[in-house]
């Protein structure tokens, strides 16, 4: 049933506390190549992981308000800490579809596990919220949640290998290995950038579930269901007289645009274009 509210030609608003959500935006640009994206990174106040839940909620809603005011057709909370703090509030507050990173990843993990043991690595805020344990609680699985606070620091410093990261990863992943999980949710959108070290330590018997990829897949499903795919029908067929141009992606940051562009390109490549200041 087509959605009577938002304009299918409007951009999708993507929000993250910083740079991890770029993994979501990149996955969305791959899976939804005809869509326009408006990405807002709250780098001035990141990382959200160590902050109290009520502070995360306040900051995140402020950023989502800004995106909603730009006339976006959907909101994607590309931050596990923010999703765990204010997803319900966001769904009540905005009159556009809201997609999060936690539920899609939890569903994928529950479908993927063969031995019923699922691990989740995430920030301290996400771990203390219990969001993944709650999301996976409806499935017959045993869940091991492990906070990995330093992983975000490594990623944002551009460190994806080396002895210091390896030592931290061995310490963080020890409880996950001890629990004999066969499926691990990368419950922070920075963590897909560390799949090399994580896969190396856990071995080929553990399937990694990226909350970034699952969020992009859920966004496609939501837009299709709501009749909001740009330049096409709900089934994705082009409308008469319209062509699917490549996605246009705009980047906004609460911090330094130059710093955002530099770190963003180091993490995900030249795909990150010009960045403007949040106002």
């Amino acid at each position: 049933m087509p959605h009577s509210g938002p304009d299918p030609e409007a951009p999708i608003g993507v929000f993250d506390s910083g740079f991890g959500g770029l993994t979501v935006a990149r996955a969305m640009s791959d899976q939804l190549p005809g869509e326009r994206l408006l990405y807002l990174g709250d780098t001035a106040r990141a990382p959200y992981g160590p902050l109290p839940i009520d502070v995360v909620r306040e900051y995140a809603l402020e950023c989502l308000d800004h995106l909603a005011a730009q006339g976006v057709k959907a909101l994607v909370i590309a931050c596990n800490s923010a999703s765990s703090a204010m997803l319900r509030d966001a769904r009540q507050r905005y009159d556009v579809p809201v997609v999060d990173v936690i539920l899609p990843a939890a569903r994928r993990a529950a479908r993927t596990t063969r031995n019923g043991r699922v691990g989740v690595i995430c920030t301290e805020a996400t771990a203390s919220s219990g969001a993944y344990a709650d999301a996976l609680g409806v499935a017959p699985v045993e869940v091991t949640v492990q906070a990995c606070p330093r992983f975000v620091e490594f990623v944002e410093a551009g460190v994806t290998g080396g002895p210091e990261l390896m030592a931290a990863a061995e310490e963080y992943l020890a409880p996950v290995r001890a629990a004999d999980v066969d499926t691990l949710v990368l419950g922070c959108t920075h963590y897909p950038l560390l799949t090399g070290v994580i896969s190396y330590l856990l071995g080929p018997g553990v399937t990694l579930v990226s909350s970034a990829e699952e969020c992009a897949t859920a966004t496609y499903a939501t837009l299709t269901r709501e009749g909001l795919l740009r330049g096409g029908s709900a089934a994705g067929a082009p409308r008469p007289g319209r062509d699917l141009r490549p996605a246009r992606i705009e980047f906004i940051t609460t911090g330094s645009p130059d710093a955002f562009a530099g770190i963003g390109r180091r993490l995900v490549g030249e795909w990150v274009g010009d960045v403007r200041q949040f106002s």
Side-chain angles (χ1 to χ4, degrees):
M1 183 82 184
H3 206 282
S4 59
D7 176 6
E9 299 300 305
I12 302 164
V14 183
F15 160 69
D16 183 49
S17 60
F19 300 98
L22 291 172
T23 60
V24 176
R26 188 171 62 177
M28 287 172 63
S29 73
D30 289 342
Q31 294 188 33
L32 293 152
E35 296 293 341
R36 294 165 55 211
L37 307 181
L38 183 59
Y39 183 98
L40 171 55
D42 190 11
T43 51
R45 299 182 292 197
Y48 282 6
L51 299 175
I53 289 284
D54 60 329
V55 175
V56 172
R57 178 184 177 278
E58 177 193 339
Y59 289 174
L61 288 173
E62 193 178 303
C63 291
L64 289 177
D65 283 350
H66 181 79
L67 287 172
Q70 311 301 305
V72 298
K73 66 180 177 184
L75 287 164
V76 175
I77 307 171
C79 173
N80 284 264
S81 298
S83 288
S84 62
M86 43 60 82
L87 176 61
R88 188 176 286 115
D89 296 300
R91 290 202 161 131
Q92 291 171 349
R93 188 179 182 105
Y94 307 109
D95 58 0
V96 297
V98 177
V99 181
D100 77 304
V101 282
I102 292 175
L103 282 172
R107 288 191 193 110
R108 168 65 66 185
R111 289 197 303 268
T112 301
T113 182
R114 302 172 304 284
N115 69 2
R117 298 191 186 101
V118 173
V120 178
I121 54 173
C122 56
T123 65
E124 289 165 300
T126 301
S128 64
S129 75
Y132 272 102
D134 289 348
L136 284 158
V138 296
V141 297
E142 190 180 306
V143 185
T144 301
V145 178
Q146 173 67 33
C148 307
R150 293 188 64 208
F151 275 0
V152 171
E153 297 169 25
F154 283 116
V155 168
E156 297 204 350
V159 176
T160 55
E164 194 181 353
L165 171 60
M166 189 67 73
E170 282 182 334
E171 181 186 333
Y172 289 150
L173 296 175
V176 173
R177 275 201 291 209
D180 191 31
V181 307
D182 72 351
T183 304
L184 181 71
V185 176
L186 306 180
C188 172
T189 50
H190 284 75
Y191 297 178
L193 296 161
L194 298 176
T195 49
V197 67
I198 294 166
S199 293
Y200 175 76
L201 289 173
L202 293 182
V206 177
T207 302
L208 304 186
V209 174
S210 163
S211 58
E213 289 290 340
E214 296 308 319
C215 179
T217 301
T219 303
Y220 183 94
T222 299
L223 295 182
T224 299
R225 190 171 60 245
E226 298 285 342
L228 287 174
L229 283 175
R230 177 171 175 259
S233 68
R239 289 182 189 146
R242 300 217 177 177
D243 63 339
L244 285 175
R245 291 160 291 164
R248 184 160 60 87
I249 306 169
E250 294 180 58
F251 299 93
I252 310 169
T253 179
T254 57
S256 157
D258 288 345
F260 186 98
I263 294 170
R265 286 170 194 151
R266 190 167 72 220
L267 294 176
V268 296
E270 294 303 313
W271 177 84
V272 176
D274 292 338
V275 182
R276 61 185 168 90
Q277 180 74 48
F278 177 98
S279 58

